[in-house]
Amino acid sequence: EMSASLVGSEMCIRDRRCSFHNLAGMICIRKKEYIQALKEYREGLSLAVHAYGEDDLKITSYLCNIADVYHSIGESQYPVDKNALEKAKLILEKVLKMRKSILPDMHDDIAVAYDNLAGIYRLLGEEELAKEYRLKSQDIYVSLKGENDIDVAIAYHNYALECRMEQDFDQARELSLIHISEPTRLALIS
């Protein structure tokens, strides 16, 4: 039987190894070394699954990192690499499903998952889903944080961009004006 300190020590080592691979993956993405980033993130994911189990909330962060690589690959191509974006979409849909099964409906991590998926849907030309998910993200942030929060302002901005992409300029302008200062708003209106 292992002592509690030994088990805790092993978990600490696993956490450090997972963190190392995460950091290495982040560096690779910045250098646009996507294949190496995928290797690092997958190794971190494998270690995390071994340490925590595949249904642990921590796993969703590792999955998001992998989806981010596919997102970066997809956006870096012209025209966009739809295969890479489809992989990101599948992973992010899994993340949303996992988070919804673990967390309450009104949670920051759920809002982030909706927002991440909205960006992928937009790139894949699925405008209605993009707009729907941006709105869900926005609604969660407003419910959790009230109107005067930076995350809420960003959510309004993102939703305004969706409206703009759909040529709904009146709604985009209205949403864009919600979270700017009164003097700036008055200057823009006049």
Side-chain angles (χ1 to χ4, degrees), residues 58-70:
K58 292 177 186 174
I59 300 306
T60 63
S61 295
Y62 292 92
L63 290 170
C64 284
N65 290 338
I66 293 169
D68 187 43
V69 176
Y70 285 118

Side-chain angles (χ1 to χ4, degrees), residues 135 138 153 155-161 163 169-180:
L135 190 56
Q138 174 186 306
Y156 276 122
H157 172 77
N158 289 343
Y159 187 70
L161 291 176
C163 293
F169 299 116
D170 291 334
Q171 183 161 3
R173 183 170 188 264
E174 178 184 325
L175 289 167
S176 294
L177 292 174
I178 288 175
H179 281 282
I180 58 175

Side-chain angles (χ1 to χ4, degrees), residues 8-189:
S9 175
E10 285 185 17
M11 287 300 283
C12 184
I13 291 169
R14 285 185 189 152
D15 284 344
R16 285 185 186 153
R17 287 184 66 205
C18 292
S19 295
F20 168 80
H21 288 289
N22 245 5
L23 180 59
M26 288 169 40
I27 291 168
C28 291
I29 280 199
R30 288 181 189 239
K31 293 169 68 177
K32 299 186 186 318
E33 296 173 357
Y34 300 125
I35 302 305
Q36 187 61 37
L38 280 174
K39 287 179 185 175
E40 296 294 346
Y41 284 145
R42 285 181 179 144
E43 181 63 25
L45 173 64
S46 175
L47 291 168
V49 166
H50 181 72
Y52 309 114
E54 60 185 47
D55 295 328
D56 192 278
L57 183 60
K58 292 177 186 174
I59 300 306
T60 63
S61 295
Y62 292 92
L63 290 170
C64 284
N65 290 338
I66 293 169
D68 187 43
V69 176
Y70 285 118
H71 184 182
S72 296
I73 291 169
E75 274 191 319
S76 69
Q77 308 295 316
Y78 184 80
V80 296
D81 181 340
K82 291 200 181 232
N83 289 330
L85 293 174
E86 284 291 338
K87 288 177 183 177
K89 179 176 105 171
L90 290 173
I91 293 167
L92 291 173
E93 286 172 341
K94 179 178 180 173
V95 166
L96 177 62
K97 183 178 178 182
M98 285 177 71
R99 287 181 177 173
K100 287 179 82 172
S101 73
I102 298 168
L103 300 168
D105 289 339
M106 292 294 160
H107 193 281
D108 281 5
D109 287 349
I110 303 285
V112 169
Y114 278 126
D115 197 58
N116 289 343
L117 268 167
I120 296 295
Y121 288 143
R122 165 65 52 213
L123 290 169
L124 288 170
E126 299 176 39
E127 288 85 7
E128 286 303 312
L129 274 174
K131 196 171 177 180
E132 175 188 336
Y133 277 41
R134 291 275 192 224
L135 190 56
K136 286 181 179 189
S137 175
Q138 174 186 306
D139 289 347
I140 292 170
Y141 281 129
V142 170
S143 174
L144 289 175
K145 301 179 179 208
E147 292 287 334
N148 296 318
D149 182 85
I150 187 66
D151 289 332
V152 173
I154 292 168
Y156 276 122
H157 172 77
N158 289 343
Y159 187 70
L161 291 176
E162 295 299 333
C163 293
R164 183 172 161 235
M165 295 295 287
E166 288 190 2
Q167 311 264 327
D168 187 351
F169 299 116
D170 291 334
Q171 183 161 3
R173 183 170 188 264
E174 178 184 325
L175 289 167
S176 294
L177 292 174
I178 288 175
H179 281 282
I180 58 175
S181 68
E182 191 62 28
T184 305
R185 183 178 313 149
L186 293 174
L188 289 171
I189 292 173

